[in-house]
Amino acid sequence: HAQGSQRSNRVVCAIEAPVCARANAARNETVVERSSKTPRSSEQLWSVPSWLNIVRIDESGSHLLVENTTLGQISVDAPATLVVLTIYNQGKVQREVQLRDLLQTEAGRRAAAAAGAWGKALGSPDSDIARYLLATGEAVRVRLSSAQVVAE
């Protein structure tokens, strides 16, 4: 079975704010909501009419980070232009991060193809920053609010 084709409901919440993104597989939509002080009520901030593999949301609820490949997996013949991460801002694509943006050399992309994955997520205490350890052993930070990818 193709692991990348398996979809399930996902909920990802900001670390320090009552903001969550909910991806619903059956409805094929992703909704960003802010919980209110009233019990069991929330305000929808925005939505995308597709299921997204959400991995991080910032505290403002404006920005989402989506992994386009399950667990960073890639095929041996993955092109350098393969979109591996997408940053959304208020429901619109702000940036598509391609494999070549993370692994800038052919040797790095070959190492990733041999490993079967471009990288893996590392922890970050900041909702606006996602960290990844690349197949080359290098680490990068992805800042959601500015859509920047920088080496650590």
Side-chain angles (χ1 to χ4, degrees), residues 11 27 36 47 52 55 60 73 90 106-107 129 132 137 141:
V11 177
R27 288 201 302 258
S36 62
S47 66
L52 301 175
V55 292
S60 71
Q73 295 174 337
Q90 297 285 333
E106 187 62 37
I129 295 174
Y132 289 90
R141 287 177 182 253

Side-chain angles (χ1 to χ4, degrees), residues 130-150:
R131 298 174 60 235
Y132 289 90
L133 179 64
L134 303 178
T136 56
E138 302 164 297
V140 296
R141 287 177 182 253
V142 179
R143 184 174 293 276
L144 279 61
S145 59
S146 63
Q148 291 180 310
V149 178
V150 295

Side-chain angles (χ1 to χ4, degrees), residues 48-66:
V48 176
S50 63
W51 179 92
L52 301 175
N53 187 31
I54 318 153
V55 292
R56 189 164 285 267
I57 183 170
D58 72 352
E59 292 175 11
S60 71
S62 297
H63 301 93
L64 279 185
L65 179 64
V66 173

Side-chain angles (χ1 to χ4, degrees), residues 37-125:
K37 298 202 185 304
T38 309
R40 298 178 189 252
S41 68
S42 62
E43 167 196 6
Q44 181 174 320
L45 301 177
W46 54 273
S47 66
V48 176
S50 63
W51 179 92
L52 301 175
N53 187 31
I54 318 153
V55 292
R56 189 164 285 267
I57 183 170
D58 72 352
E59 292 175 11
S60 71
S62 297
H63 301 93
L64 279 185
L65 179 64
V66 173
E67 287 184 1
N68 299 71
T69 59
T70 304
L71 301 173
Q73 295 174 337
I74 58 170
S75 64
V76 175
D77 58 351
T81 55
L82 176 71
V83 175
V84 293
L85 298 170
T86 304
I87 299 170
Y88 283 80
N89 181 356
Q90 297 285 333
K92 295 182 176 52
V93 173
Q94 182 174 353
R95 178 173 181 189
E96 292 182 327
V97 179
Q98 297 179 350
L99 187 59
R100 65 181 174 195
D101 297 327
L102 299 174
L103 300 165
Q104 297 172 351
T105 66
E106 187 62 37
R109 290 190 291 276
R110 276 197 305 273
W118 58 265
K120 66 176 184 177
L122 299 173
S124 171

